[in-house]
Amino acid sequence: MATIRAITTKTGRTWHYAAWSDAAGKTHQKALGTQDPLVARSLFLTFCRREGLTPRAGFRGPAGGLRDARAAFLETVRLGVRSKASASFVQTKIDAVLAGMGGGDWHTWTPDAFREWVAAQRWKPRSIQMHVSAARRFIRYARASGYPCPDF
C-alpha cells in the first residue's frame, strides 16, 4: 500500500513523495518532484498505476483530469468568442497539442518534449506561435481552475 508524504525543508518549501513498503517490509520513497499538492496527488496516482501499487485506503485523487479540463476550457472559450470559427480554431490547436503530446497522460509533458514535438511538425513560425499560445492559455486556465496539470 502506498501513501503520499509532504516534507517541508528548512527553506519553507514543501516537497511531495510517494512512500511504500515492499514484500520484505523495507520502506521505499520516490520524489514526485513538485511543490503543488494538486499536481502531487495526480502524479501519485499515476505512479501507483505504473508501479502496480495500491493507494492507501480512503485516498481520493483530485477531481477531474485532462478531459475535464479540456472540456471546461473549451466551454469558456466558446462563451468568450464572437464566432464559432474562433472557438473551432482554438479547439483545433488544443486538440493537436493534446494528441501530439501523448494524449491522456499530461504529467509526462516537459518543455523539452514540447519543443521536440513542435520541431518535428515542420510548421511555419506563425503556426508554431499559435499552437504554443493555445497550449499556454490552456495550462494557465487549468492551473487557475484547480485541475492538476504539469509545471509547464
Side-chain angles (χ1 to χ4, degrees):
M1 186 167 318
T3 61
I4 188 169
R5 293 186 181 156
I7 298 174
T8 304
T9 63
K10 290 179 187 177
T11 60
R13 291 186 176 184
T14 302
W15 295 99
H16 295 85
Y17 296 86
W20 71 99
S21 296
D22 60 14
K26 185 175 179 184
T27 303
H28 301 276
Q29 186 168 287
K30 170 136 175 60
L32 297 174
T34 182
Q35 294 181 43
D36 187 342
L38 262 180
V39 174
R41 293 182 73 139
S42 186
L43 286 172
F44 174 68
L45 289 176
T46 303
F47 173 77
C48 287
R49 272 194 306 269
R50 187 176 57 236
E51 298 296 323
L53 299 170
T54 305
R56 68 178 160 78
F59 180 82
R60 290 185 8 213
L66 178 64
R67 291 180 190 200
D68 294 334
R70 177 194 167 275
F73 173 71
L74 291 175
E75 187 61 34
T76 62
V77 168
R78 284 186 195 100
L79 294 174
V81 296
R82 293 182 184 178
S83 69
K84 289 182 182 179
S86 296
S88 176
F89 176 82
V90 173
Q91 181 176 353
T92 303
K93 302 304 178 217
I94 291 296
D95 289 344
V97 170
L98 295 179
M101 290 297 294
D105 188 16
W106 65 348
H107 300 294
T108 60
W109 291 16
T110 63
D112 293 332
F114 184 73
R115 283 188 212 101
E116 289 174 15
W117 176 73
V118 169
Q121 301 305 309
R122 302 191 196 287
W123 287 329
K124 293 182 179 181
R126 179 66 181 143
S127 185
I128 291 171
Q129 182 183 12
M130 288 185 289
H131 282 80
V132 169
S133 174
R136 284 183 179 159
R137 267 180 70 191
F138 175 56
I139 296 260
R140 257 193 323 261
Y141 170 81
R143 289 189 72 74
S145 299
Y147 289 100
C149 63
D151 298 327
F152 191 77

